[in-house]
Amino acid sequence: MIEVENLVKRYGGHLAVDHLSFTVEKGCVCGFLGPNGAGKSTTMNMMTGYLAPTEGEVRVDGHSVTQDPAGAKACIGYLPEQPPLYVDMTVREYLEFAAGLKRIPGGERAAQLDRILEMTRTADVSGRLIRNLSKGYRQRVGLAQALIGFPHILILDEPTVGLDPKQILEIRALIRELAQEHTVILSSHILSEVQEVCDHIFIIHHGRLVAQGTPAQLERELAGTPAITLLLKAAPEEGRVLLSGVPGVAEVAPLPCGEAGAALLRLTPAEGADPREAVFRACAGADLPILEMRRESLSLEQIFLELTSDASAAGQAGGRRRPFGRRDSAEPEPEPAPAPETAITKHGEEAEP
């Protein structure tokens, strides 16, 4: 559905997007995850044709964004981070105007807009001036304009930024509904949002793709060999000596323990080893009851922080294992200003609907 090949964007001496390549399959909900300034918005602007790449190519449903921009844009509905709204129009007037810009035939507009207003739950405010709507409703109106023409692909740049928790839940619910009929690509720096909504995640840092996969794949592949925490009915030194000789255990470290007569130990397995069964047999053979055994694992949040840490390159140089898809990063630079918007102005002051 979308193929991004060796995509590069330079602003003078600043490399904002650094040779990105990936594919988005039809029907997938994909998340671009990265810290502020990672290059997410710049990449999306190039994918939608709002910004020309310095190098590389984007193909949307077989249409080259640079060679056949009209064909590519016809397949895409785009919601920028700041929805391009005319605040002195009513919701219906604005969508009529946007439909004209997208060259929707006059005979089809009324029925199409009625359906879109229903899909985005904005029919009840269709006669209201946009300037009098809350930010949550303005975001829905922006989503409604992206749906005009019913494109196969929706590209949403930070769709919940600046919303309150209730509005965030409402927008997420809308995205999940739309994903049943559209391929959706959204950018975010909110981990819970991407994890909840997306089937596939691309993690971007300093304009580079550092990892990709489903949330479960990322947690499994990037977490490495998890440590084991063991609560043992034994003296700490007794437990440490016993378990240090267990096959597959590389290191045993005592931890503070508030339970009398017990030792809390952290076991670091050898690379690729799972010594839990051997630990159990050793403790049983020594008549030292195991009160608790827990296998630690990295959450997606911890993985994200590790992959986007500027100290990660130093860690790799020190011999740490590099997760799949990871690349060395340059020093951080601020992301350039977003591409200029269309003639449609930004939203004005907010007021509750």
Side-chain angles (χ1 to χ4, degrees):
M1 179 62 74
I2 297 182
E3 298 171 275
V4 175
E5 184 178 337
N6 202 36
L7 200 62
V8 175
K9 184 62 182 179
R10 291 187 179 91
Y11 292 92
H14 172 53
L15 187 60
V17 176
D18 186 2
H19 298 89
L20 278 182
S21 295
F22 57 86
T23 302
V24 176
E25 300 296 335
K26 183 177 180 180
C28 184
V29 182
C30 292
F32 271 22
L33 186 60
N36 289 327
K40 304 185 300 295
S41 294
T42 302
T43 300
M44 287 190 153
N45 279 325
M46 289 189 286
M47 291 170 65
T48 56
Y50 280 76
L51 193 62
T54 306
E55 299 176 28
E57 182 64 275
V58 179
R59 286 180 290 275
V60 180
D61 206 13
H63 302 277
S64 167
V65 170
T66 54
Q67 303 300 319
D68 182 16
K73 290 179 181 180
C75 302
I76 295 174
Y78 179 42
L79 175 64
E81 183 175 346
Q82 297 288 347
L85 306 176
Y86 275 135
V87 297
D88 291 325
M89 288 182 172
T90 67
V91 172
R92 184 86 189 200
E93 287 170 344
Y94 169 72
L95 294 180
E96 289 274 4
F97 172 71
L101 292 179
K102 292 188 178 185
R103 300 179 181 178
I104 304 301
E108 300 177 12
R109 287 185 195 174
Q112 187 174 132
L113 294 185
D114 286 343
R115 184 183 172 195
I116 289 171
L117 287 166
E118 182 180 351
M119 291 169 65
T120 55
R121 302 184 184 91
T122 50
D124 56 337
V125 297
S126 62
R128 301 282 302 276
L129 287 176
I130 293 173
R131 72 165 57 254
N132 295 328
L133 299 180
S134 69
K135 185 170 178 61
Y137 267 94
R138 293 184 189 192
Q139 200 74 349
R140 293 192 199 187
V141 174
L143 192 55
Q145 69 78 24
L147 285 166
I148 292 174
F150 300 115
H152 304 307
I153 300 162
L154 295 177
I155 297 182
L156 314 177
D157 192 1
E158 299 278 4
T160 61
V161 67
L163 303 183
D164 65 37
K166 181 175 182 294
Q167 293 168 338
I168 288 174
L169 291 176
E170 291 171 346
I171 294 297
R172 286 181 185 175
L174 274 176
I175 292 172
R176 284 194 296 270
E177 291 177 14
L178 294 172
Q180 297 176 17
E181 299 180 12
H182 303 266
T183 300
V184 179
I185 303 170
L186 64 90
S187 72
S188 182
H189 58 275
I190 303 173
L191 286 155
S192 59
E193 180 168 278
V194 172
Q195 193 164 18
E196 178 183 340
V197 175
C198 298
D199 307 318
H200 196 91
I201 297 173
F202 299 99
I203 299 180
I204 297 177
H205 187 43
H206 294 322
R208 295 180 176 181
L209 184 64
V210 295
Q212 65 170 304
T214 67
Q217 283 176 331
L218 290 175
E219 291 179 359
R220 182 174 63 250
E221 298 289 344
L222 302 183
T225 303
I228 297 168
T229 303
L230 189 70
L231 183 63
L232 194 62
K233 193 170 183 181
E237 184 61 19
E238 182 183 15
R240 188 192 68 79
V241 171
L242 171 69
L243 297 174
S244 294
V246 172
V249 175
E251 183 181 352
V252 180
L255 299 174
C257 180
E259 188 167 336
L264 185 62
L265 305 169
R266 187 175 190 271
L267 281 58
T268 302
E271 185 69 30
D274 182 1
R276 288 176 295 176
E277 184 176 341
V279 166
F280 169 78
R281 294 186 184 280
C283 292
D287 196 24
L288 298 179
I290 296 175
L291 304 179
E292 181 181 323
M293 183 188 291
R294 178 167 52 87
R295 195 177 193 186
E296 299 176 2
S297 61
L298 287 178
S299 66
L300 183 60
E301 180 175 3
Q302 291 170 311
I303 291 168
F304 171 75
L305 292 174
E306 166 68 16
L307 287 174
T308 58
S309 168
D310 291 321
S312 62
Q316 290 173 17
R320 296 178 60 187
R321 185 176 65 86
R322 178 183 297 185
F324 82 98
R326 186 160 174 177
R327 302 171 62 182
D328 296 325
S329 298
E331 288 300 312
E333 296 186 52
E335 186 174 351
E341 297 183 358
T342 60
I344 305 176
T345 61
K346 294 183 178 180
H347 60 73
E349 296 299 319
E350 299 175 22
E352 293 300 319

